Amino acid sequence: MSSEGIVPQFNIHDAKTNLSRIIDRVEHGEEIIISRAGTPVAKVIPLHPRVKRTGRGSLAGQLVAADNWDSAEVNDSIADDFGLAP
């Protein structure tokens, strides 16, 4: 939402003309109302942001793997689940 608490509003024609600008604003946290003949009909809101991983090890300490994660039994079970078992 904007800093004043007022949600920006675009009519459909302006929204089509400025769609990439609207999407950029939404990506930065704004909500945008689309209206037809002055009546609001849609709200464009940001989705939950994607996890931004900066590189290898960015999930360190957040994942737990079983001690047997790479055992023959686990690998065979996964292969079976995907129809790849010999």
Side-chain angles (χ1 to χ4, degrees), residues 9-83:
Q9 188 167 324
F10 290 82
N11 66 40
I12 291 177
H13 174 75
D14 289 338
K16 288 193 300 186
T17 302
N18 297 295
L19 182 60
S20 53
R21 289 186 189 108
I22 290 171
I23 297 299
D24 185 54
R25 289 173 67 172
V26 170
E27 284 179 326
H28 287 89
E30 284 190 68
E31 295 181 357
I32 306 286
I33 299 291
I34 309 295
S35 55
R36 178 184 314 217
T39 303
V41 294
K43 181 189 251 185
V44 185
I45 62 169
L47 293 177
H48 298 290
R50 292 185 211 143
V51 174
K52 293 186 180 183
R53 295 190 177 98
T54 56
R56 289 185 169 181
S58 64
L59 292 176
Q62 298 181 41
L63 300 176
V64 178
D67 291 335
N68 69 341
W69 70 272
D70 196 26
S71 68
E73 297 81 26
V74 172
N75 289 335
D76 290 344
S77 175
I78 292 170
D80 189 46
D81 289 343
F82 285 93

